[in-house]
Amino acid sequence: MENTPGPRAGRKEWTALAVLMLPLLLVSMDVSVLYFAIPFVSQDLEPSATQQLWILDMYGFVLAGLLIVMGSLGDRIGRRRLVLAGAVVFGAASVAAAYAHSAEALIAVRALLGLGGAALMPSTLALIRSLFHDAKQRGKAVTIWTGVMTTGISLGPVVSGLLLEHFWWGSVFLINLPAMVLLLVLVPFLVPETATTARGRFDLSGAVLSLGALLAVIYGIKEWARHGYEPLPAICVAVGLVLGAVFVRRERRLAHPMIDLALIGRRAFGGPVLANLLAMFATVGMAVFFTQYLQSVLGQSPLTAALWSLVPAAGVALMAPTGAALAQRIDRAHVMGGGFLVAACGFLWMTQLRADSPLWFALVGAAVYAGGLVAAMTLANELALGAAPPEGAGSAAAVLESGQELGGALGMAVLGSVGAAVYSRDMADALPAGLPHADAVRETLGGAAAVAGELPAATADAVLTAARDAFTHGLGVAAVGAAVVMAGAGVFSIGFLRGLSGRASSAPSSPDDSRRTASAR
């Protein structure tokens, strides 16, 4: 395998990476940090049901919608400058969120948090392209980046639960502040600026189109996952696709577009983007089932369930570095394909899960599929980042992360709908005639638990047993779907991405980029 070694990073670059991982961890944590806090927020701010949903979702919507915009902006004004600006916005919004006095204010501040997060996420990945020129070192750095991002999402509920044991709900936002201050102090000394020779004015119209397209598509998919098919979500997806088509048409005509469409069309970049999308499809789609299984089937408290949900990180800790090491010896595509096939085996294991299965059985299956997925995602991230030219690394990272957001939304919608359909069908066959509130029982496991609390003991036990069996059956069918998608992703990786390892991962920096980096030090 051909590798072109570049200058090796030293202690300063690795310290800079550690500092950049702080905002990445917190930005990814904020996606899930309100899961435990929302009851306390509801008691204090008294939001309506619709406002409560927007408090939870606004951050993720804005974050996903602005990734491409911020990636392009960072390529033009400098990624270090954008990281510092994002840290200021994220820190200030965190303080404002902690002391918000109304639901409307908290929704608005969550949007600002999404703005700050969108400035931070693609820049942290793109800066790895500038800090690490040696292919092996860059591979290790991308492995760390991927592990921190995926761990943060799982860690959010745990940190939230621990803080709420001792402090008020605003504390889940204030933990962001020390990290942002540290970032503002250290980044100017540790991270070189990467202002590039990007030409042309910033495309404001293109930014509006990309934001509208992503927001409309992701909102429509999430609403479909939450409520089933309805006209409004379908219209939103259709509008988003139309806006996306207009955006692509506009970008093709511009001399200096926001994103390089030719790069997306290359195997070395477009292929890993698709692989990452499929990985997030399975990751997010099954995460919903796994969390509900721990809480609603096994009867664990939210905090206990959140702590147990960290156990599969052991699979990630083992598989991610193993995959990176193997990729130094054999074709990256084969290692990625192997990771996806390991994930498929983990999902097939989950098809054997039952309502009375021991906890270890579920944890082993989750550890296997999580380890395989993160190993594959790490290599996909590295391959795509290496394929991107240094001057366009911010836009490339944003496209990669936008694909992940879209994949997660699709996974939640498709796999969630499959599981819900199986649950409803099983419950329709299992319910006794004349059961009160039968519609609520047939819709969700949570609805069945709520209705069971009002029934005689014998009937309640029968309803809960049937509901837990039906939910676990739905989980198993969804796991079959995830396994099929992962097997397809493995075949795709081996067949489509083979032979790209050396060229992509070792793409040398341009001379201009090297001179700018050296002068910025």
Side-chain angles (χ1 to χ4, degrees):
M1 184 172 66
E2 181 185 7
N3 274 320
T4 306
R8 291 181 63 80
R11 182 181 301 174
K12 180 179 179 181
E13 286 78 12
W14 287 108
T15 304
L17 177 66
V19 172
L20 289 172
M21 292 306 95
L22 283 174
L24 177 64
L25 180 67
L26 293 169
V27 167
S28 56
M29 277 175 52
D30 261 44
V31 173
S32 56
V33 78
L34 276 184
Y35 288 175
F36 287 170
I38 199 65
F40 300 94
V41 173
S42 298
Q43 184 178 1
D44 192 10
L45 303 184
E46 299 181 351
S48 66
T50 300
Q51 287 175 328
Q52 181 172 306
L53 289 175
W54 278 111
I55 288 171
L56 287 169
D57 290 341
M58 179 60 80
Y59 174 78
F61 286 150
V62 175
L63 177 69
L66 286 176
L67 283 172
I68 290 178
V69 175
M70 290 300 174
S72 176
L73 186 62
D75 288 341
R76 282 171 167 77
I77 69 172
R79 294 163 207 139
R80 185 180 72 177
R81 188 175 290 116
L82 189 61
V83 162
L84 295 174
V88 170
V89 173
F90 200 81
S94 296
V95 175
Y99 295 101
H101 293 297
S102 68
E104 294 84 359
L106 185 56
I107 292 170
V109 173
R110 288 279 284 170
L112 283 177
L113 280 167
L115 172 64
L120 290 165
M121 280 194 75
S123 297
T124 57
L125 182 57
L127 282 168
I128 289 176
R129 187 72 177 83
S130 304
L131 289 168
F132 298 93
H133 303 286
D134 178 77
K136 291 184 178 180
Q137 289 188 319
R138 187 164 62 240
K140 293 178 181 178
V142 173
T143 299
I144 294 171
W145 187 94
T146 307
V148 169
M149 183 194 68
T150 54
T151 300
I153 298 173
S154 300
L155 198 59
V158 178
V159 172
S160 175
L162 293 174
L163 287 171
L164 292 170
E165 294 262 333
H166 306 285
F167 306 104
W168 97 113
W169 60 265
S171 62
V172 303
F173 296 110
L174 289 182
I175 60 169
N176 297 331
L177 201 56
M180 294 303 123
V181 172
L182 188 64
L183 192 71
L184 290 170
V185 171
L186 295 181
V187 162
F189 298 100
L190 295 172
V191 179
E193 184 53 278
T194 57
T196 68
T197 55
R199 304 295 187 197
R201 294 183 301 173
F202 181 72
D203 183 14
L204 184 59
S205 298
V208 172
L209 286 170
S210 69
L211 175 62
L214 284 169
L215 284 180
V217 169
I218 292 175
Y219 172 78
I221 292 172
K222 286 193 172 186
E223 287 299 297
W224 172 32
R226 183 176 287 149
H227 303 296
Y229 175 80
E230 292 181 351
L232 181 59
I235 292 172
C236 286
V237 171
V239 169
L241 293 175
V242 170
L243 291 176
V246 174
F247 172 72
V248 169
R249 182 181 178 87
R250 176 181 175 81
E251 293 296 290
R252 283 176 173 166
R253 294 180 173 181
L254 292 178
H256 306 288
M258 287 179 60
I259 59 175
D260 185 353
L261 296 177
L263 176 64
I264 296 175
R266 289 178 55 196
R267 280 197 306 147
F269 184 81
V273 169
L274 178 58
N276 249 343
L277 185 151
L278 295 174
M280 288 301 291
F281 174 93
T283 301
V284 176
M286 284 303 295
V288 176
F289 288 100
F290 186 67
T291 302
Q292 288 189 61
Y293 179 82
L294 293 178
Q295 292 187 48
S296 300
V297 176
L298 299 186
Q300 295 179 350
S301 69
L303 181 56
T304 301
L307 289 170
W308 278 117
S309 68
L310 292 178
V311 172
V316 173
L318 175 65
M319 287 292 295
T322 300
L326 287 173
Q328 301 300 326
R329 294 171 173 81
I330 60 178
D331 195 307
R332 237 163 264 265
H334 290 98
V335 183
M336 281 179 61
F340 281 123
L341 294 177
V342 168
C345 291
F347 287 121
L348 289 176
W349 176 287
M350 297 297 281
T351 64
Q352 303 306 305
L353 195 64
R354 301 293 180 264
D356 56 354
S357 296
L359 175 61
W360 67 264
F361 191 91
L363 295 177
V364 168
V368 171
Y369 74 67
L373 282 170
V374 172
M377 289 174 65
T378 297
L379 295 174
N381 285 333
E382 183 190 349
L383 191 60
L385 191 62
E391 65 273 11
S395 298
V399 170
L400 190 64
E401 292 167 15
S402 296
Q404 292 175 353
E405 294 288 337
L406 183 58
L410 283 169
M412 188 182 298
V414 176
L415 297 182
S417 297
V418 168
V422 172
Y423 174 87
S424 297
R425 186 196 63 196
D426 286 2
M427 289 304 291
D429 296 336
L431 289 181
L435 184 74
H437 308 295
D439 288 343
V441 175
R442 278 193 295 265
E443 284 182 2
T444 64
L445 177 56
V451 172
E454 304 173 359
L455 298 174
T459 307
D461 287 343
V463 168
L464 285 176
T465 299
R468 287 167 181 157
D469 288 341
F471 175 84
T472 309
H473 184 203
L475 182 155
V477 175
V480 171
V484 170
V485 172
M486 290 302 92
V491 172
F492 166 79
S493 297
I494 295 171
F496 191 73
L497 303 180
R498 188 171 48 204
L500 296 175
S501 302
R503 283 176 291 164
S505 66
S506 61
S509 302
S510 68
D512 288 343
D513 182 68
S514 299
R515 285 195 294 269
R516 282 191 300 272
T517 300
S519 64
R521 291 176 190 273

